[in-house]
Amino acid sequence: MPLSIATWNINSVRLRLPLVEHFLKSWAPDILCLQETKCPNELFPREAFEALGYRHIEIHGQKGYHGVATLSRLPLQELSERRLYCGISDARHLSVVFSHGARTIRLHNFYVPAGGDEPDRTINVKFGHKLDFIEEMKLLHAEAEAGVSSILVGDLNIAPLEHDVWSHKQLLKIVSHTPIETEGLTSVLSGGSWVDLMRQHKPEPEKLYTWWSYRARDWQAADRGRRLDHIWSSADLAAHLNHVEILKEARGWERPSDHVPVIATFDL
DNA sequence: ATGGTGGTGAAACCA
């Protein structure tokens, strides 16, 4: 039985609604996790997604900033949760539970703080917030609930491996690729018994990017990307991974997000 | 070393 899960930092769900609709029509994942919806809950365009068959929708939004949403063609159980990280009420996490065949799966959708420009928490509180957020994510285990498999997706705003950035050396002091962040995220991964599905499918040294800055003159020619978006799962699901696709073409669509969708397909 | 672009929501803040 196939299962496909997609994640996409959309950078305003209302502005880019036509792009999300196009993606859902053409790629039709079972579930799509969005980040940076930048949309208050009461203004979320539910009807547009319901019309495309995504009738099971959970949202965790706020005005102006952040925000995550999970759109599903599969029924969701009444077990969704919105966790508070660092005691700050930003809309950065949402998890849902669904059944697939004999399995029960909890799917976490994260938007990790970007962390500002200066990689020093003594002068940049946003970087401190990011490090604290990652520290708190270490409490999240892939086998947290008996009999429940786990998937974790989202914009984690960290490119953990050498070949997750266009130049390891030039980015070592750039927020998203500093050692304290990459070691922190690696520790969240291994400590929680998670499997990095993108790297299981395409190991290093192949370059993998999911984000290209808006500020480049020609993002495609420069190709200075980073792998900021991730799909992880518990080992039982990883054993049934079929494919992972990074939809690079979406970066070239009309008025694009700076992130592209990532889609994992399982054969369960 | 610097500034480059884009979103929200109407100025400053964030990515």
Side-chain angles (χ1 to χ4, degrees):
Chain A
M1 238 176 117
L3 171 69
S4 55
I5 306 287
T7 181
W8 194 7
N9 176 318
I10 197 59
N11 188 16
S12 175
V13 69
R14 285 175 288 172
L15 190 69
R16 276 181 252 290
L17 182 57
L19 296 190
V20 184
E21 290 176 312
H22 172 65
F23 172 69
L24 291 175
K25 283 180 194 165
S26 304
W27 280 267
D30 292 310
I31 305 181
L32 170 62
C33 294
L34 296 171
Q35 302 88 35
E36 277 207 275
T37 52
K38 296 185 174 176
C39 182
N41 291 336
E42 62 274 20
L43 297 178
F44 192 86
R46 282 177 173 275
E47 298 74 14
F49 301 126
E50 286 166 355
L52 295 173
Y54 293 81
R55 298 193 296 111
H56 311 279
I57 298 173
E58 290 288 335
I59 55 182
H60 184 190
Q62 68 183 77
K63 181 180 156 75
Y65 301 102
H66 325 311
V68 290
T70 300
L71 320 175
S72 177
R73 305 202 292 181
L74 310 174
L76 301 175
Q77 297 178 17
E78 306 268 315
L79 291 167
S80 71
E81 53 165 25
R82 288 148 186 79
R83 289 196 194 176
L84 183 74
Y85 278 78
C86 307
I88 297 171
S89 61
D90 286 351
R92 296 185 179 275
H93 170 266
L94 169 65
S95 84
V96 301
V97 178
F98 61 98
S99 300
H100 189 268
R103 284 188 172 81
T104 300
I105 300 174
R106 183 174 289 276
L107 169 60
H108 294 275
N109 179 356
F110 274 99
Y111 176 54
V112 172
D117 288 332
E118 199 58 56
D120 177 351
R121 70 177 308 155
T122 66
I123 57 171
N124 173 10
V125 295
K126 287 188 278 189
F127 193 68
H129 178 210
K130 183 177 196 177
L131 297 181
D132 292 344
F133 195 103
I134 291 296
E135 199 60 35
E136 209 169 320
M137 282 181 79
K138 293 181 183 174
L139 301 172
L140 193 65
H141 202 282
E143 271 114 51
E145 299 167 277
V148 181
S149 304
S150 299
I151 301 174
L152 185 160
V153 309
D155 176 4
L156 306 186
N157 264 318
I158 297 174
L161 304 177
E162 181 177 344
H163 297 95
D164 291 341
V165 292
W166 63 276
S167 168
H168 174 61
K169 199 176 162 196
Q170 286 179 256
L171 288 173
L172 274 170
K173 292 181 177 169
I174 302 297
V175 171
S176 74
H177 195 61
T178 64
I180 192 167
E181 294 169 86
T182 60
E183 286 161 18
L185 193 68
T186 300
S187 159
V188 173
L189 179 79
S190 57
S193 297
W194 296 98
V195 180
D196 176 349
L197 298 182
M198 295 173 73
R199 282 305 183 183
Q200 174 178 304
H201 185 251
K202 290 263 194 257
E204 288 201 291
E206 181 163 340
K207 292 283 190 187
L208 292 180
Y209 310 142
T210 65
W211 172 90
W212 291 262
S213 173
Y214 282 127
R215 297 177 189 179
R217 275 192 203 146
D218 184 340
W219 71 274
Q220 203 158 19
D223 199 25
R224 294 185 168 188
R226 305 178 201 170
R227 183 170 74 112
L228 303 180
D229 303 275
H230 299 269
I231 304 186
W232 300 352
S233 81
S234 49
D236 60 312
L237 297 179
H240 296 274
L241 181 72
N242 240 357
H243 192 72
V244 179
E245 181 177 11
I246 299 174
L247 203 65
K248 185 175 179 180
E249 67 167 83
R251 186 62 180 76
W253 292 349
E254 196 74 24
R255 295 200 80 184
S257 169
D258 44 356
H259 297 251
V260 300
V262 184
I263 311 152
T265 308
F266 303 85
D267 204 351
L268 298 176

